[in-house]
Amino acid sequence: MSAASGLRVVLAEDSVLLREGLIGLLARFGHRVVAAVPDAEGLREAVEAHGPDVVVTDVRMPPGFKDEGLRAAVELRRRHPGLPILVLSQYVETRYATDLIDAGDGTSLGYLLKDRIGQVEEFVDAMNRVVAGGTVVDPEVVRQMLRRRRSPLEALTAREREVLALVAEGRSNAAIAARLVVTDASVAKHIRNILYKLDLPQSDDDHRRVLAVLTFLRV
Amino acid sequence: MVDAQYLRQALAQPRYLLSSWPLRAVAYLLGTGLAGLLTLVVALLLLTLGGVLAVVVVGIPMLAALALIGLPVGAVERRLLRIVDRWPVPHAHRTPHDPGFTPWLRTRFAETDTWRELGHAALLMLVLWPIDLLAVTLGVTVPLALLATPVLFATVGDGEQVNVLKAYAVTSWPVAFAVGVAGLVAVAASAYGLGLVAAARCSLARVLLTRAGSPLGARITELTDSRVRLVDAFEAERGRIERDLHDGAQQRLVALTMMLGVARLDAPPGPVAEQLARAHDEAGRVLVELRELIRGIHPPLLVDFGLEAAVTDLADRSVIPVDVALTLPHRFAPSIESTVYFVVSEALSNMAKHSAADHGEISGDYSDGWLVVTVTDNGRGGAGGSSADPDAGTGLVGLADRVSVVDGTLSVSSPPGGPTRLTVEIPCQPLPASA
């Protein structure tokens, strides 16, 4: 995975403490926050004004403190197809993530729990994957999706479920192999089995595969 | 101008004559008139046949059926009321605790609503239907006869004489046309007249078919109102606590884990790095616990997406597999949504703790002014029994209290050996759809 550097970031987060923290954190990894705003309205304006490489936004922001950030993200994607957006959220409920991924073609989108910011390198890596066109869904949210009992999922072996979770998080074959300490070939074999059992189209393209899996999981 | 929601409102609007409301009034009166006539015929039949056959026993159930005649009549009247009133009058009948005919019969005979509906049926078949039909007949024929006078004068009367309404002889063209013009005025007058009669009938039917107050009515209304206010205040307070936790403690904890994460990048390997790592992990765990706590206080899905999404999410989290068949496209008042949500949540946790079931189901929909949600399982039953499990019992009492605040009812059927079925029914109106 190539670490994109020197990204121009627009950041929307209403907590001053977190906003300042994130600016410092991103700077540390060589990225520049060109605009940091406290609400969804400011986010829309900042994107129009700066044309950033990536948007990082909170879900819940003023004035309603509901899901303004998510709505703004969905709307921004409609207006700027392909604009990479990483949504940070306190909500583990899958509905928020699927609403985001439904926007546009689902690529270059990420939905992470705010907890993940603490895993500094993982967080920055997720942002890079989103910028590279990937789809990233928080592991905890994926776990929620997998908890739903649907008969085809029950046909999977424990190992296959493990692999499926990592695929849904947007990991590449190589990353999954490294995580599970197995060879690339055996990961590829697991994935073929999963796609077959779930009746999903076979694909070698990582992004397409993630989307196929998410389509299956979110129903 | 806002579209009128019911007849009386429509009567006050200047465009009443041009709207569909006069026709609705006619349709309503015609419907109730015919329904009353039919009721009378059926009641007389049952009474005669039942009376004659009472000697050979089969007549007795027929007489009993006569006592229940108010049920179908009430249902028909409610349907007809929708013609002149967009707000439904929900029926107040309880769902019997057990399936089957006998429990149904027992429930119906024990309810005051059954007897009030019988009273309504009696009034309709003995007094009201002739009035309804007479009003429609007069209101339609008089204006039509007046309007038709010039035409009749020219055709049937050969330009010489025609009798208006068999009472008044018209012998010249100017008079014939004057009567025709009077017909136009009569159309307007009878549109208003029929509207007023129908509106009065509608109010009467509403009074008869709506759950009545007791002698302590006013006092009880006051208490009920204050209880609703309390629950709303409680709801608002929970929202405030959730907001405080979300915007305060949670954000600070996220910032803390971020700082610890950055510090770990800088810390040289050694005991300090290990302690940092432990602190970092601990902060992460607190964050997870806090998130669970917040969801228990004020579920975000319920607030943002409504009952269907939130209940489906509850089912997804259930340890026992639960199927969901909900049709609730509307949003409801927050107090109603959260009541149903917590009932389902409690039912699912009871199911997991006590039922020994391996499968559950949540079903529900909204129709005729009632929001009904049912949770069933295939477990061993015996929940809510007086002595079997006092712990589960108190939980159910708490739930029932909660439901009664929003005027709803909670019924539990859980015979030993199962299955357990819990139904919450709440009379309510959906909120208007917002963008």
Side-chain angles (χ1 to χ4, degrees):
Chain A
M1 199 155 301
S2 65
S5 61
L7 294 173
R8 299 170 63 254
V9 184
V10 162
L11 173 66
E13 163 63 63
D14 61 313
S15 149
V16 183
L17 194 64
L18 266 184
R19 202 163 60 223
E20 295 306 319
L22 279 168
I23 293 173
L25 175 64
L26 290 170
R28 200 188 154 105
F29 286 83
H31 305 305
R32 194 157 62 89
V33 175
V34 289
V37 295
D39 55 39
E41 196 42 51
L43 171 61
R44 288 188 194 98
E45 284 164 14
V47 168
E48 300 306 331
H50 296 278
D53 298 322
V54 59
V55 169
V56 177
T57 178
D58 189 7
V59 167
R60 183 154 117 162
M61 283 190 292
F65 293 98
K66 287 178 78 179
D67 50 0
E68 285 83 357
L70 187 68
R71 302 279 143 248
V74 169
E75 189 192 315
L76 281 174
R77 264 308 277 260
R78 221 164 277 145
R79 212 180 309 159
H80 305 277
L83 172 69
I85 299 180
L86 176 60
V87 171
L88 299 175
S89 171
Q90 308 274 31
Y91 304 144
V92 71
E93 286 79 1
T94 57
R95 174 68 185 262
Y96 296 92
T98 56
D99 265 25
L100 175 69
I101 289 160
D102 280 337
D105 59 356
T107 60
S108 300
L109 288 172
Y111 183 93
L112 282 188
L113 288 182
K114 282 193 169 174
D115 308 24
R116 232 50 70 191
I117 303 174
Q119 316 294 326
V120 181
E121 285 167 309
E122 216 177 293
F123 165 65
V124 176
D125 175 50
M127 191 178 82
N128 287 333
R129 278 189 283 148
V130 167
V131 173
T135 310
V136 177
V137 176
D138 192 276
E140 190 57 43
V141 177
V142 171
R143 209 163 303 145
Q144 288 286 330
M145 291 176 167
L146 281 171
R147 277 172 73 159
R148 299 188 181 182
R149 263 155 285 266
R150 224 169 287 112
S151 46
L153 279 183
E154 284 164 2
L156 301 184
T157 65
R159 189 54 141 188
E160 283 165 356
R161 293 174 73 96
E162 230 173 324
V163 173
L164 177 66
L166 290 166
V167 170
E169 283 167 33
R171 310 271 171 191
S172 66
N173 282 13
I176 296 172
R179 175 72 70 95
L180 299 178
V181 204
V182 293
T183 63
D184 280 17
S186 75
V187 168
K189 195 189 79 193
H190 284 310
I191 290 176
R192 269 198 309 279
N193 285 343
I194 293 168
L195 294 178
Y196 175 74
K197 284 184 184 173
L198 301 186
D199 214 11
L200 292 173
Q202 299 282 340
S203 170
D204 291 332
D205 179 338
D206 282 348
H207 302 329
R208 287 192 172 288
R209 211 180 53 204
V210 173
L211 286 175
V213 168
L214 286 172
T215 309
F216 173 80
L217 285 178
R218 71 159 166 251
V219 182
Chain B
M1 192 185 303
V2 209
D3 274 343
Q5 295 295 309
Y6 52 93
L7 185 56
R8 233 176 19 203
Q9 204 175 25
L11 276 167
Q13 293 186 344
R15 60 170 178 200
Y16 170 73
L17 284 176
L18 300 174
S19 68
S20 65
W21 287 101
L23 289 177
R24 285 163 173 269
V26 170
Y28 171 68
L29 288 173
L30 202 57
T32 52
L34 294 177
L37 181 57
L38 186 66
T39 311
L40 184 62
V41 172
V42 173
L44 285 177
L45 269 177
L46 284 174
L47 199 63
T48 328
L49 276 176
V52 171
L53 297 176
V55 252
V56 283
V57 182
V58 284
I60 293 171
M62 296 180 106
L63 291 176
L66 190 58
L68 292 178
I69 201 169
L71 298 178
V73 176
V76 169
E77 174 79 76
R78 282 197 182 85
R79 210 20 78 82
L80 289 170
L81 276 173
R82 295 298 291 274
I83 302 176
V84 285
D85 196 337
R86 298 225 163 110
W87 291 101
V89 186
H91 68 78
H93 294 293
R94 305 265 188 262
T95 303
H97 286 209
D98 301 302
F101 182 66
T102 320
W104 179 83
L105 211 58
R106 200 173 301 137
T107 312
R108 286 296 166 268
F109 272 109
E111 292 176 321
T112 51
D113 298 288
T114 306
W115 304 112
R116 194 168 38 249
E117 285 187 338
L118 180 62
H120 165 258
L123 198 63
L124 182 67
M125 67 182 176
L126 296 178
V127 181
L128 294 176
W129 73 264
I131 299 177
D132 295 345
L133 288 186
L134 187 69
V136 173
T137 316
L138 284 178
V140 173
T141 51
V142 171
L144 283 185
L146 294 181
L147 275 177
T149 301
V151 181
L152 292 177
F153 190 68
T155 53
V156 189
D158 286 333
E160 287 175 10
Q161 177 172 352
V162 72
N163 289 332
V164 180
L165 294 167
K166 296 186 177 164
Y168 174 63
V170 171
T171 50
S172 73
W173 277 107
V175 178
F177 276 109
V179 173
V181 172
L184 282 178
V185 179
V187 167
S190 91
Y192 274 100
L194 287 173
L196 286 172
V197 173
R201 272 289 283 108
C202 169
S203 305
L204 180 63
R206 276 198 95 100
V207 168
L208 291 171
L209 294 177
T210 310
R211 218 184 284 190
S214 67
L216 291 167
R219 177 86 182 121
I220 289 174
T221 309
E222 191 184 306
L223 282 173
T224 311
D225 286 354
S226 81
R227 201 163 62 147
V228 169
R229 279 198 300 276
L230 268 177
V231 167
D232 283 347
F234 182 58
E235 199 68 31
E237 182 68 0
R238 271 221 316 256
R240 197 187 61 74
I241 294 172
E242 185 259 0
R243 222 166 17 253
D244 285 354
L245 284 176
H246 184 282
D247 300 335
Q250 210 174 15
Q251 303 282 34
R252 281 171 185 281
L253 258 174
V254 171
L256 174 68
T257 56
M258 181 169 62
M259 289 172 199
L260 287 169
V262 173
R264 279 177 73 180
L265 292 180
D266 295 334
V272 176
E274 279 166 30
Q275 278 176 25
L276 262 180
R278 273 210 298 282
H280 192 199
D281 292 348
E282 193 56 36
R285 274 192 289 277
V286 175
L287 209 47
V288 172
E289 274 179 28
L290 188 60
R291 190 170 53 233
E292 291 300 308
L293 176 71
I294 289 177
R295 204 194 37 241
I297 296 173
H298 205 69
L301 263 187
L302 186 61
V303 180
D304 290 339
F305 294 100
L307 263 178
E308 200 173 308
V311 168
T312 307
D313 182 67
L314 275 179
D316 285 342
R317 288 162 190 281
S318 162
V319 186
I320 299 169
V322 174
D323 287 336
V324 181
L326 281 177
T327 325
L328 298 172
H330 314 284
R331 296 297 305 266
F332 300 93
S335 57
I336 287 169
E337 287 190 338
S338 80
T339 300
V340 174
Y341 177 87
F342 284 106
V343 166
V344 173
S345 170
E346 182 73 23
L348 289 180
S349 80
N350 279 346
M351 193 192 295
K353 268 187 262 172
H354 308 291
S355 76
D358 61 16
H359 188 260
E361 191 183 325
I362 303 171
S363 60
D365 63 2
Y366 175 82
S367 67
D368 289 335
W370 284 84
L371 171 62
V372 181
V373 175
T374 304
V375 184
T376 38
D377 67 48
N378 63 353
R380 62 174 171 230
S386 47
S387 59
D389 193 339
D391 199 29
T394 53
L396 287 174
V397 171
L399 282 185
D401 285 349
R402 211 184 156 119
V403 174
S404 76
V405 174
V406 287
D407 250 358
T409 54
L410 178 76
S411 49
V412 182
S413 148
S414 185
T420 297
R421 193 174 63 152
L422 185 145
T423 304
V424 56
E425 297 169 278
I426 300 175
C428 57
Q429 291 298 327
L431 299 177
S434 60

